[in-house]
Amino acid sequence: MFSRLLSVARRQRTGRGWQNWSSGRSGAPAAEAHSVALPAQAQVVICGGGIMGTSVAYHLSKMGWKDIVLLEQGRLAAGSTRFCAGILSTARHLTIEQKMADYSNKLYQQLEQETGIQTGYIRTGSIFLAQTQDRLISLKRINSRLNVIGIPSEIISPKKVAELHPLLNVHDLVGAMHVPEDAVVSSADVALALASAASQNGVQIYDRTSVLHVMVKKGQVTGVETDKGQIECQYFVNCAGQWAYELGLSNEEPVSIPLHACEHFYLLTRPLETPLQSNTPTVVDADGRIYIRNWQGGILSGGFEKNPKPIFTEGKNQLEIQNLQEDWDHFEPLLSSLLRRMPELETLEIMKLVNCPETFTPDMRCIMGESPAVQGYYVLVGMNSAGLSFGGGAGRYLAEWMVHGYPSESIWELDLKRFGALQSSRTFLRHRVMEVMPLLYDLKVPRWDFQTGRQLRTSPLYDRLDAQGARWMEKHGFERPKYFVPPDKDLLALEQSKTFYKPDWFDIVESEVKCCKEAVCVIDMSSFTKFEITSTGDQALEILQYLFSNDLDVPVGHIVHTGMLNEGGGYENDCSIARLSKRSFFMISPTDQQVHCWAWLKKHMPEDSNLLLEDVTWKYTALNLIGPRAVDVLSELSYAPMTPDHFPSLFCKEMSVGYANGIRVMSMTHTGEPGFMLYIPIEYALHVYNEVMSVGQKYGIRNAGYYALRSLRIEKFFAFWGQDLNTLTTPLECGRESRVKLDKGMDFIGREALLQQKQNGVYKRLTMFILDDHDTDLDLWPWWGEPIYRNGQYAGKTTSSAYSYTLERHICLGFVHNFSEDTGEEQVVTADFINRGEYEIDIAGHRFQAKAKLYPVTSLFTHRRRKDDVELSDLHGK
Ligand SMILES: Cc1cc2nc3c(=O)[nH]c(=O)nc-3n(C[C@H](O)[C@H](O)[C@H](O)COP(=O)(O)OP(=O)(O)OC[C@H]3O[C@@H](n4cnc5c(N)ncnc54)[C@H](O)[C@@H]3O)c2cc1C
């Protein structure tokens, strides 16, 4: 049947095609640049007239910015936006993505009324099919999260699917999710409507005008060079879609924007004999790798194949995107899948196979924000085939960022600064996007890892640990051990243990945790970001006191846990800083803070040749010795007394370990357990590791990985930045008043906001939940993002979770809010409010009872409470 379909399609090629779909538009707002001179100056120049560029222009002008120029090398909306399938879907894995899509939906719905330009908006709803129970679990998780942010959706039976869409074969389905308010739209017309509204608000739009490069002086945007002359400007926004990567590199000071294009296909058919109604729901059959929507009474169907075709790796691309070559052989698996799902289509005539490049990013998330290298250089790109869905919301958040200095939501997951130049190699990108594109429809179970682009950054101990059974995960390009497979376990079987339920590394991690509790373990934590700040005088101390909330004027050798806060008091970073000498400090931050933290420090540090900031991440291997016998191992190796009397908690000293000198030993473990972090110059790494393992034998030493660390830190209520903390979380909201010194004798960023918060009370609070009626062997495991219910009302979401081998219960961390039952407004959250509630955690639609705690359950742990633990319990002030 496929060949018949194909032959029909071939005969019909001259028929009416996709080109007509969005043609005949009137009222295009662009001025033809060859006839109108460009302005010499502007506040903002936006490059790209696709959905992203026009959305940014629309929102900036709505927010009151006046002097905005939008440049488009071809015609408006003639990039990927022109070929978009027009599906607006809110069912996303990340809450921030759900919110962006929800906002886009509402915006596009009213654009026609606002601008008079028809956008083809039709509310169709979407149906997401599940062929397997695991897929249904994944949908149930999304369903729970959509509902709590006000997006209606429900899990439905195959029978109901058949009622909603008469053409679907439902026999192989176990269920589905219905999102009734999703829509379809003509994306090119949406872009034109946004451009038209922006133009009415004063934005000057020039098509057929190419940006050649951005001019930069002293790390700040000063203007753009175009093929029609220069424009001086303060801000530049790169919305150049698949061209963004090269445009970023074309400056004298290059901006790394890691994305890569792949070919993306969909087919269009002629109308059915009884044409499909315009409000027929869109269907996503992820297990079949396809999406299907109504198109002019017929079908539009595309998908994300297993073997995508990256394109333009050598940087070749056209000025204006054309429909690329049809490739029916390549499309055949998707076509077969479509015919399985809709057998009646076999006799339908295909009109066209559309093939257009779309950009994908290394982690499947879009890219927005300011460049870490060039101030005033913003980007909004890399949409992973969801640019229409995200366009409105993403444009709004970027505009807020530019106008207010920060967006109204935490967008760290999408921030350009989560990447560095290290993710920008063309080979890396080419390989990674070949994995990313199919992953869009692959089932994602807890703790899945990317398989491509691996072993880019490794510790000197990598081979050694690998030979001992290390299984690896990757963060910011760095390989980190998850756990160590004992010699008697089946390695291959373990690799396949992908499940929403109890994983089969459970026992392995249990024995690593046990060893951390009772003896001593070594975890290679070399991926941590490490900076040194030194000065000739007091400059280093002065700037750190201004940038951090805790008091860093401590005696040499002391370590301070502290937040790097923004004006709103939220965490830009959470780190530990050791005072190495009067004038030098060693800062340890999360692995993925390498670019973000560097950019923040650089932005706020004065130009002063007496003040030096150095990224020393690559210079040190970091070993975490966790456990009660760590002290014995180190004492033997250093011939120095390491007991708390001689080496108190949160203390740092350079000392010799074995033959190696100059090892920075710190009495902390990032888990609440006793032990030491060793920061070892890399040339000594192997020696120190060997010595530690050899001496440690008699104390029962073994290797451990990050899964053990995770279990230990979560059961001790240790929040981590990037998982539990973000730019909208303040120390007072997560029980860290002790890390804020409001009276340290000088102002610091965020102080004013914290003073106010202290007075007014907090509106959310990080809380620890111990699951009560959860059967670890039989029930679904929590992951993160699960809704929290208080007295039956939605109260927040979890941020991380782990099984506590000590408590023999699952633990979740998450923020509890106090939404007024009448108005939905947020109200102050007190310790009493937390303590008085009855809690449930929703895992894929099933609610489990949970006990809420504002401090760790120390009575169940054997070791003495640390200073931080004690202070944590003192936070019930408000
Ligand atoms: C086949 C296909 C189907 C899709 N279906 C959907 C869907 O159903 N739903 C959904 O949400 N998303 C979908 N997408 C994704 C969506 O279409 C894109 O993510 C979105 O259009 C990207 O918009 P953009 O503005 O970033 O890029 P583009 O639309 O490509 O715009 C970038 C613009 O920048 C211009 N430009 C580049 N360099 C310069 C320069 N130097 N000077 C001046 N101008 C320059 C280009 O000419 C171009 O017009 C689909 C994509 C494809 C390819």
Side-chain angles (χ1 to χ4, degrees):
M1 212 64 225
F2 167 59
S3 59
R4 192 157 78 82
L5 201 58
L6 182 63
S7 60
V8 173
R10 294 237 155 104
R11 280 204 306 277
Q12 297 298 326
R13 229 186 247 168
T14 50
R16 196 174 130 234
W18 51 270
Q19 288 94 339
N20 296 342
W21 180 13
S22 53
S23 63
R25 295 173 216 115
S26 59
E32 293 280 334
H34 40 80
S35 54
V36 183
L38 295 180
Q41 285 177 332
Q43 186 182 13
V44 190
V45 172
I46 300 167
C47 172
I51 191 99
M52 293 304 147
T54 54
S55 177
V56 173
Y58 173 89
H59 285 96
L60 280 177
S61 64
K62 283 258 165 187
M63 288 175 201
W65 277 22
K66 293 280 171 241
D67 206 4
I68 304 165
V69 171
L70 187 150
L71 304 178
E72 164 55 50
Q73 64 186 2
R75 284 168 299 141
L76 282 182
S80 298
T81 300
R82 169 181 170 208
F83 291 86
C84 175
I87 299 166
L88 199 158
S89 157
T90 47
R92 307 277 158 190
H93 285 278
L94 294 182
T95 302
I96 185 68
E97 293 178 340
Q98 292 171 351
K99 287 185 177 174
M100 290 196 307
D102 188 39
Y103 174 84
S104 302
N105 196 350
K106 291 176 175 132
L107 173 71
Y108 301 165
Q109 197 180 353
Q110 57 84 42
L111 262 186
E112 190 168 325
Q113 204 183 358
E114 183 182 343
T115 63
I117 294 178
Q118 289 187 356
T119 56
Y121 182 96
I122 303 171
R123 177 165 289 175
T124 56
S126 308
I127 311 172
F128 295 81
L129 310 181
Q131 293 185 24
T132 65
Q133 287 299 341
D134 273 351
R135 176 70 66 183
L136 193 59
I137 291 167
S138 167
L139 291 177
K140 285 178 176 174
R141 290 182 58 90
I142 296 175
N143 183 58
S144 295
R145 293 166 70 166
L146 286 176
N147 287 336
V148 296
I149 63 165
I151 300 176
S153 67
E154 61 171 339
I155 298 298
I156 57 174
S157 65
K159 193 167 159 247
K160 177 83 182 168
V161 173
E163 283 166 27
L164 287 168
H165 200 310
L167 290 183
L168 291 181
N169 170 8
V170 298
H171 294 112
D172 57 348
L173 301 183
V174 296
M177 177 173 71
H178 182 215
V179 188
E181 294 188 358
D182 279 356
V184 296
V185 77
S186 158
S187 58
D189 292 327
V190 166
L192 288 179
L194 291 169
S196 165
S199 153
Q200 274 162 29
N201 279 335
V203 175
Q204 302 172 62
I205 300 176
Y206 298 87
D207 63 5
R208 308 210 183 276
T209 307
S210 293
V211 175
L212 302 177
H213 65 262
V214 177
M215 298 179 295
V216 179
K217 218 177 207 169
K218 291 189 181 161
Q220 167 75 48
V221 167
T222 57
V224 294
E225 181 79 51
T226 79
D227 57 352
K228 307 268 164 28
Q230 286 186 356
I231 307 178
E232 279 179 27
C233 63
Q234 256 174 290
Y235 298 93
F236 174 75
V237 191
N238 184 337
C239 294
Q242 56 154 313
W243 293 267
Y245 174 88
E246 280 156 5
L247 186 61
L249 296 183
S250 66
N251 313 329
E252 252 177 54
E253 281 184 59
V255 172
S256 293
I257 306 172
L259 50 80
H260 195 295
C262 288
E263 296 180 38
H264 182 36
F265 299 86
Y266 60 74
L267 62 76
L268 297 171
T269 73
R270 292 200 172 277
L272 277 82
E273 221 169 271
T274 314
L276 274 183
Q277 294 198 340
S278 59
N279 63 353
T280 306
T282 294
V283 175
V284 175
D285 181 2
D287 297 312
R289 304 199 157 276
I290 50 167
Y291 56 80
I292 312 159
R293 60 159 282 197
N294 161 59
W295 186 69
Q296 297 186 353
I299 290 292
L300 178 161
S301 177
F304 298 102
E305 60 274 26
K306 274 193 182 147
N307 53 337
K309 294 168 81 177
I311 189 168
F312 306 142
T313 308
E314 305 80 22
K316 284 187 228 132
N317 55 7
Q318 314 92 319
L319 190 66
E320 201 161 275
I321 299 183
Q322 304 296 330
N323 194 22
L324 300 168
Q325 263 200 325
E326 290 186 341
D327 184 344
W328 283 100
D329 286 343
H330 187 76
F331 193 72
E332 196 277 333
L334 300 183
L335 182 57
S336 300
S337 188
L338 172 65
L339 292 178
R340 262 197 311 277
R341 186 57 56 213
M342 290 188 170
E344 285 180 41
L345 296 191
E346 292 208 347
T347 51
L348 194 65
E349 291 178 14
I350 290 176
M351 182 184 282
K352 183 88 192 167
L353 187 61
V354 172
N355 176 10
C356 170
E358 167 63 353
T359 53
F360 296 86
T361 61
D363 60 359
M364 283 189 296
R365 296 170 183 173
C366 74
I367 302 177
M368 63 163 79
E370 192 179 18
S371 152
V374 181
Q375 281 188 37
Y377 192 120
Y378 284 80
V379 302
L380 183 55
V381 289
M383 291 296 143
N384 299 289
S385 211
L388 171 69
S389 307
F390 295 156
R396 171 187 157 195
Y397 290 140
L398 192 84
E400 285 176 350
W401 204 335
M402 295 172 69
V403 172
H404 306 304
Y406 46 86
S408 55
E409 294 282 343
S410 168
I411 54 85
W412 165 246
E413 288 133 319
L414 316 177
D415 191 337
L416 171 64
K417 296 189 202 77
R418 73 192 187 273
F419 296 122
L422 70 96
Q423 287 97 348
S424 284
S425 125
R426 282 191 198 272
T427 314
F428 169 81
L429 285 170
R430 182 181 169 87
H431 289 182
R432 178 53 70 81
V433 297
M434 286 173 76
E435 182 182 5
V436 160
M437 193 166 155
L439 257 175
L440 291 176
Y441 276 178
D442 280 352
L443 189 68
K444 282 167 275 305
V445 294
R447 286 164 273 278
W448 59 272
D449 298 302
F450 285 107
Q451 302 300 314
T452 53
R454 298 294 297 265
Q455 299 179 333
L456 178 59
R457 300 171 78 205
T458 56
S459 142
L461 304 174
Y462 178 85
D463 283 345
R464 197 67 206 276
L465 301 180
D466 198 53
Q468 294 176 75
R471 311 310 292 174
W472 300 94
M473 61 201 271
E474 170 251 336
K475 187 103 182 212
H476 203 52
F478 217 113
E479 296 294 330
R480 317 199 300 180
K482 296 193 277 199
Y483 50 82
F484 285 77
V485 181
D488 55 331
K489 282 267 181 186
D490 179 354
L491 283 177
L492 278 175
L494 260 172
E495 261 315 271
Q496 286 152 13
S497 71
K498 299 192 166 128
T499 175
F500 288 99
Y501 292 91
K502 181 179 173 183
D504 50 12
W505 43 255
F506 183 86
D507 295 343
I508 296 177
V509 175
E510 178 176 29
S511 57
E512 290 179 9
V513 165
K514 195 162 182 280
C515 187
C516 288
K517 296 267 182 191
E518 295 171 2
V520 53
C521 280
V522 185
I523 305 184
D524 185 338
M525 293 176 60
S526 303
S527 67
F528 270 10
T529 297
K530 301 147 216 130
F531 294 161
E532 276 175 11
I533 297 137
T534 47
S535 58
T536 51
D538 287 340
Q539 299 92 333
L541 177 64
E542 278 164 16
I543 188 67
L544 292 180
Q545 288 285 60
Y546 175 62
L547 292 177
F548 291 87
S549 60
N550 211 335
D551 188 358
L552 287 153
D553 194 5
V554 289
V556 170
H558 281 235
I559 301 168
V560 177
H561 290 316
T562 181
M564 185 176 88
L565 309 181
N566 52 37
E567 295 290 345
Y571 276 100
E572 290 293 329
N573 187 9
D574 181 36
C575 51
S576 308
I577 301 182
R579 189 164 197 179
L580 298 178
S581 73
K582 203 163 176 291
R583 290 164 185 165
S584 78
F585 296 83
F586 184 64
M587 182 193 298
I588 304 147
S589 308
T591 305
D592 44 10
Q593 273 279 359
Q594 196 166 11
V595 177
H596 179 257
C597 180
W598 178 266
W600 183 270
L601 293 174
K602 275 291 188 194
K603 190 169 179 170
H604 291 90
M605 276 171 65
E607 285 274 334
D608 183 348
S609 57
N610 294 310
L611 183 61
L612 185 69
L613 172 68
E614 192 186 357
D615 183 344
V616 294
T617 304
W618 63 275
K619 283 188 179 173
Y620 292 93
T621 301
L623 292 183
N624 195 350
L625 262 66
I626 306 182
R629 308 313 298 265
V631 63
D632 301 306
V633 177
L634 262 190
S635 300
E636 259 193 58
L637 277 171
S638 60
Y639 288 99
M642 300 298 293
T643 55
D645 300 341
H646 299 91
F647 208 109
S649 179
L650 295 180
F651 190 66
C652 163
K653 195 172 171 190
E654 288 204 350
M655 48 199 291
S656 60
V657 176
Y659 298 158
N661 254 327
I663 312 302
R664 287 180 186 164
V665 177
M666 302 188 187
S667 45
M668 62 175 189
T669 61
H670 303 282
T671 58
E673 297 295 330
F676 301 89
M677 284 291 306
L678 309 186
Y679 285 89
I680 310 159
I682 52 167
E683 66 268 34
Y684 299 143
L686 196 57
H687 170 75
V688 172
Y689 175 77
N690 287 343
E691 290 294 294
V692 164
M693 292 310 272
S694 153
V695 168
Q697 285 302 312
K698 58 175 173 287
Y699 301 107
I701 201 163
R702 58 174 293 174
N703 293 300
Y706 271 77
Y707 285 8
L709 183 101
R710 183 183 178 85
S711 168
L712 292 169
R713 71 103 178 157
I714 288 179
E715 70 176 15
K716 288 276 170 42
F717 205 168
F718 269 51
F720 272 17
W721 194 91
Q723 294 174 47
D724 310 297
L725 314 179
N726 63 33
T727 52
L728 294 184
T729 319
T730 75
L732 308 192
E733 292 162 345
C734 54
R736 291 184 167 187
E737 274 175 335
S738 61
R739 298 182 184 185
V740 176
K741 298 290 180 302
L742 293 166
D743 52 1
K744 67 177 170 179
M746 69 174 289
D747 193 18
F748 59 86
I749 301 180
R751 182 171 179 274
E752 199 51 42
L754 294 183
L755 272 171
Q756 266 191 26
Q757 199 175 47
K758 206 173 151 74
Q759 210 174 5
N760 301 338
V762 296
Y763 285 73
K764 62 177 188 278
R765 172 150 292 173
L766 188 66
T767 307
M768 175 174 174
F769 295 95
I770 304 172
L771 295 196
D772 247 359
D773 56 348
H774 183 270
D775 187 324
T776 308
D777 292 322
L778 299 179
D779 288 324
L780 290 170
W781 276 32
W783 189 3
W784 54 267
E786 289 86 13
I788 302 165
Y789 287 87
R790 181 186 177 278
N791 298 346
Q793 298 293 319
Y794 171 65
K797 287 207 196 85
T798 64
T799 50
S800 57
S801 71
Y803 182 77
S804 162
Y805 294 92
T806 318
L807 304 178
E808 296 181 348
R809 285 272 186 281
H810 256 99
I811 311 281
C812 301
L813 306 186
F815 282 94
V816 173
H817 300 247
N818 179 359
F819 300 112
S820 155
E821 278 183 37
D822 302 329
T823 60
E825 295 263 304
E826 291 212 45
Q827 305 175 126
V828 168
V829 175
T830 60
D832 191 43
F833 176 82
I834 302 279
N835 292 332
R836 275 189 296 107
E838 300 279 331
Y839 292 90
E840 291 163 306
I841 306 290
D842 174 331
I843 307 177
H846 185 114
R847 293 194 196 174
F848 294 93
Q849 288 166 17
K851 285 206 172 58
K853 303 274 170 202
L854 280 171
Y855 47 90
V857 195
T858 41
S859 59
L860 292 167
F861 299 116
T862 46
H863 81 277
R864 204 162 45 88
R865 287 174 76 187
R866 288 160 42 104
K867 188 167 160 269
D868 275 7
D869 296 346
V870 178
E871 284 166 346
L872 218 71
S873 60
D874 298 334
L875 44 97
H876 320 300
K878 288 280 174 190

